[in-house]
């Protein structure tokens, strides 16, 4: 897959809810050495808390009821073209992107997943890691393919699980590292042709 070098790359962030990763992608994109800017935010949920971060930073956002079909794909692809988007970051986007969309976009799509992939693909990662008495969990930034949570890993970071940890405390610890590694992963990818 061709990588992007030269000027800052235009990123679209797809969200569905809280949007804390979006918040930090926006914040980190303003750092001096950032290789990307957040150009567009897409949400499939009009009530998504994350939309307020886009609004606050005057970033264009659209609510699209993404249905994983050709009509939604075409609508999204048109928008991404209009905003000259070079790379998509899925950040808590609770819809599965269609193979048709991935094939037609032709550019990288990233996702952040709250586990040490390939372990614990899918939902309820923290609960499953705790039930299995894992010593570590973490977060992974990976390329999106048509197979769920399975594309090439760009960056991964571990956190230790302690006896007293529960789903809430583990989620909090992992979210904290996600807020840094998502931007680090994008910059790493963009700086390494
Ligand atoms: C994050 O934990 C991310 O790994 C997962 O969904 C969560 C989104 O959180 N894919 P937020 O909406 O960015 O706060």
């Amino acid at each position: 897959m061709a990588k992007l070098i030269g000027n800052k790359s235009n990123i679209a962030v797809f969200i569905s809810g809280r949007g804390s990763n979006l918040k930090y992608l926006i914040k980190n994109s303003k750092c001096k050495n950032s290789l990307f800017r957040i150009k567009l935010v897409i949400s499939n949920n009009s009530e998504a808390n994350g939309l307020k971060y886009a609004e606050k930073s005057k970033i264009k956002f659209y609510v699209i009821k993404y249905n994983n079909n050709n009509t939604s794909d075409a609508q999204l692809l048109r928008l991404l073209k209009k905003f000259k988007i070079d790379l998509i970051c899925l950040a808590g986007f609770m819809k599965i992107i269609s193979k048709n969309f991935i094939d037609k976009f032709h550019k990288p799509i990233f996702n952040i997943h709250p586990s040490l992939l390939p372990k614990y693909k899918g939902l309820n990662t923290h609960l499953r890691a705790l039930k299995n008495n894992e010593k570590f969990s973490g977060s992974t930034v990976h390329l999106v393919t048509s197979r769920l949570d399975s594309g090439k890993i760009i960056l991964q970071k571990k956190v230790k699980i302690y006896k007293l940890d529960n789903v809430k405390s583990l989620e909090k610890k992992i979210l904290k590292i996600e807020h840094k590694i998502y931007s680090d992963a994008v910059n790493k990818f963009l700086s390494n042709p």
Side-chain angles (χ1 to χ4, degrees):
M1 188 180 290
K3 301 203 176 164
L4 310 152
I5 39 177
N7 292 334
K8 284 198 178 199
S9 297
N10 292 331
I11 307 268
V13 184
F14 287 22
I15 61 167
S16 294
R18 183 175 54 194
S20 69
N21 278 288
L22 167 65
K23 179 180 170 188
Y24 280 86
L25 281 165
I26 295 172
K27 184 167 184 239
N28 298 336
S29 74
K30 293 175 183 160
C31 293
K32 204 173 115 220
N33 295 328
S34 167
L35 298 175
F36 64 90
R37 68 169 78 84
I38 309 300
K39 195 75 192 286
L40 179 67
V41 172
I42 302 287
S43 173
N44 67 317
N45 167 15
S46 59
E47 303 289 307
N49 176 67
L51 290 174
K52 72 179 187 212
Y53 303 124
E55 206 171 3
K56 200 169 156 203
S57 295
K58 300 194 167 47
I59 295 166
K60 286 261 186 215
F61 62 88
Y62 291 82
V63 175
I64 292 185
K65 296 281 169 224
Y66 185 71
N67 284 324
N68 198 298
N69 60 24
N70 289 348
T71 317
S72 319
D73 288 346
Q75 192 185 6
L76 262 184
L77 287 163
R78 266 198 307 277
L79 260 182
L80 296 165
K81 195 168 171 198
K82 180 173 166 200
F83 284 87
K84 298 189 168 54
I85 297 303
D86 300 307
L87 190 152
I88 294 171
C89 288
L90 306 181
F93 187 61
M94 298 307 283
K95 289 278 180 175
I96 296 191
I97 298 278
S98 74
K99 181 172 183 320
N100 170 57
F101 179 87
I102 296 170
D103 292 346
K104 289 198 173 141
F105 182 54
H106 292 305
K107 290 175 186 168
I109 305 176
F110 280 22
N111 182 40
I112 188 157
H113 182 78
S115 78
L116 295 173
L117 289 174
K119 282 189 164 180
Y120 307 114
K121 297 174 184 178
L123 297 174
N124 301 317
T125 55
H126 308 313
L127 185 64
R128 288 188 285 148
L130 288 165
K131 275 192 174 159
N132 283 344
N133 292 316
E134 296 284 359
K135 299 271 175 289
F136 294 94
S137 188
S139 181
T140 307
V141 178
H142 66 93
L143 282 167
V144 171
T145 65
S146 51
R147 284 173 47 237
L148 183 72
D149 299 330
S150 296
K152 183 181 171 206
I153 291 175
I154 307 294
L155 203 59
Q156 189 166 63
K157 191 160 174 162
K158 276 185 190 174
V159 299
K160 188 151 174 42
I161 301 182
Y162 294 99
K163 281 215 170 67
L164 287 176
D165 270 320
N166 54 35
V167 170
K168 218 171 160 193
S169 66
L170 188 55
E171 187 196 358
K172 194 171 166 200
K173 261 195 275 193
I174 290 178
L175 207 53
K176 192 163 177 212
I177 62 166
E178 292 196 321
H179 294 158
K180 180 162 182 345
I181 68 160
Y182 213 170
S183 306
D184 289 351
V186 175
N187 280 320
K188 178 183 169 201
F189 181 84
L190 295 174
S191 64
N192 180 25

